[in-house]
Amino acid sequence: MPFVRVGYMEDQYTEKELPGISCSIMNALIEHFQVPAQDYFQVFHAHKQSGFYYSPDYLDVLRTDKLLYIQITMGSGRTTEQKKSFYQRLSELLSTECKIRPEDVFVTLVEAELEDWSFGNGLAQMIL
C-alpha cells in the first residue's frame, strides 16, 4: 500500500522520462517489499528553482539539480535490512534504466499503520 511522491526541479526531467522513473520505483517496491503490481499510486511534482532547496554535499554525497526527492508512505513492518536493500536496488534501477546518478536519489520512507489508509468510498479498507 505505498503512496509515492516524487519531487524534482522543473525542466530537469521530461514528460518522457517520468514513466521510466515511476516504473523503476514500482519495480523496486515489488521486488523488495512484495507490493502487488496493482497497488500503484504515485504523484510527481515539478518545483520551480526558487522553491527547490538541497545541500549539494551533505554527508559527502555530491548532488546536482537533477536531484529526485522520493517520499514513500507505506505500511510499517519492514526490517532495516529490507529497507537498506530497497534503497540500493532503487538507486541501481534508476541509474541503469533512467541514467540518474545514484547521488541524486534521495529517499525517505514514512511508515503508517493499517487504520491510517482509505483507498476511497470513505472506508478504511485495510481494517474492515
Side-chain angles (χ1 to χ4, degrees), residues 18 20-21 33 37 50 62 68 74-75 83 87 101 108 110 113 117:
L18 298 180
I21 294 169
F33 295 151
S50 62
L62 302 178
L68 286 176
M74 61 183 195
K83 292 174 185 179
Y87 300 141
R101 298 170 61 250
T108 61
V110 179
E113 299 306 319
W117 299 84

Side-chain angles (χ1 to χ4, degrees), residues 28 31-32 84-94:
E31 184 178 332
H32 283 275
K84 288 169 61 176
S85 65
F86 170 77
Y87 300 141
Q88 183 64 44
R89 183 63 177 147
L90 177 57
S91 179
E92 289 170 1
L93 284 171
L94 289 170

Side-chain angles (χ1 to χ4, degrees), residues 26-68:
M26 192 64 193
N27 288 339
L29 287 167
I30 291 168
E31 184 178 332
H32 283 275
F33 295 151
Q34 292 72 52
V35 171
Q38 309 89 315
D39 194 353
Y40 184 52
F41 300 94
Q42 300 182 1
V43 292
F44 284 70
H45 305 277
H47 300 273
K48 294 186 181 304
Q49 185 176 9
S50 62
F52 192 87
Y53 301 96
Y54 64 92
S55 170
D57 58 3
Y58 182 67
L59 297 177
D60 295 323
V61 178
L62 302 178
R63 297 169 192 84
T64 71
D65 284 349
K66 305 262 314 165
L67 178 65
L68 286 176

Side-chain angles (χ1 to χ4, degrees), residues 14-26:
T14 67
E15 288 185 18
K16 289 185 178 190
E17 292 173 300
L18 298 180
I21 294 169
S22 175
C23 285
S24 292
I25 295 169
M26 192 64 193

